[in-house]
Amino acid sequence: MPMFHAAVWIDHETAKIFEFDAENVQPHKVRAHHHHTGQHRSEVRTQHEFFGAVCDALEGVTEVLALGPRTGLADFEHYATKHRPQTAKHIVGWEHADHPTDNQIVAQARAWFLRHDRMAGVPTPT
């Protein structure tokens, strides 16, 4: 069952997804599958399949914080906005982060959502 908040750290190869509440964390990982073909632009198809799988994994989460290196995050934002607007509307923040540990990702997301929820006047669900 999806939780209210999630953080996704994403680059062009891997996505680490952490759904969490005040006490629990459910980690998931999505990896890109490379299609080694001679077809022109097959790397774009591979990237779209990867980003699509990440969007599928975020299905049902109410608020998502996206983190990652600048280019991977920008490419994912472009994909989600253009191809998956229903998922993109649930991504409430975009933050640059090179290669944090899993614990750092969760800590940064919890702190970010605490600030975000307070500024929006919404109590954080427990």
Side-chain angles (χ1 to χ4, degrees):
M1 177 174 147
M3 294 188 190
F4 189 79
H5 288 129
V8 58
W9 182 92
I10 188 166
D11 62 11
H12 290 103
E13 301 288 324
T14 304
K16 296 178 182 181
I17 301 167
F18 301 91
E19 294 182 54
F20 61 91
D21 59 20
E23 296 89 29
N24 303 303
V25 177
Q26 293 178 345
H28 311 280
K29 192 175 272 191
V30 179
R31 292 194 177 270
H33 297 284
H34 294 283
H35 300 281
H36 299 289
T37 66
Q39 294 178 340
H40 178 67
R41 306 290 290 167
S42 64
E43 70 277 355
V44 171
R45 183 187 69 187
T46 299
Q47 186 174 338
H48 280 210
E49 289 173 0
F50 168 59
F51 288 155
V54 173
C55 288
D56 290 344
L58 295 172
E59 186 75 28
V61 179
T62 305
E63 293 183 335
V64 178
L65 173 64
L67 305 124
R70 192 169 304 272
T71 57
L73 194 61
D75 290 345
F76 178 61
E77 182 177 11
H78 176 76
Y79 173 84
T81 302
K82 184 175 180 181
H83 301 285
R84 296 287 190 97
Q86 287 302 103
T87 300
K89 75 179 184 181
H90 292 283
I91 302 174
V92 295
W94 302 88
E95 298 282 326
H96 296 127
D98 283 331
H99 292 283
T101 65
D102 293 356
N103 290 337
Q104 289 172 326
I105 293 168
V106 173
Q108 183 176 350
R110 282 190 167 136
W112 192 93
F113 279 114
L114 189 60
R115 287 190 312 273
H116 172 74
D117 290 344
R118 284 186 181 159
M119 287 191 289
V122 177
T124 303
T126 56

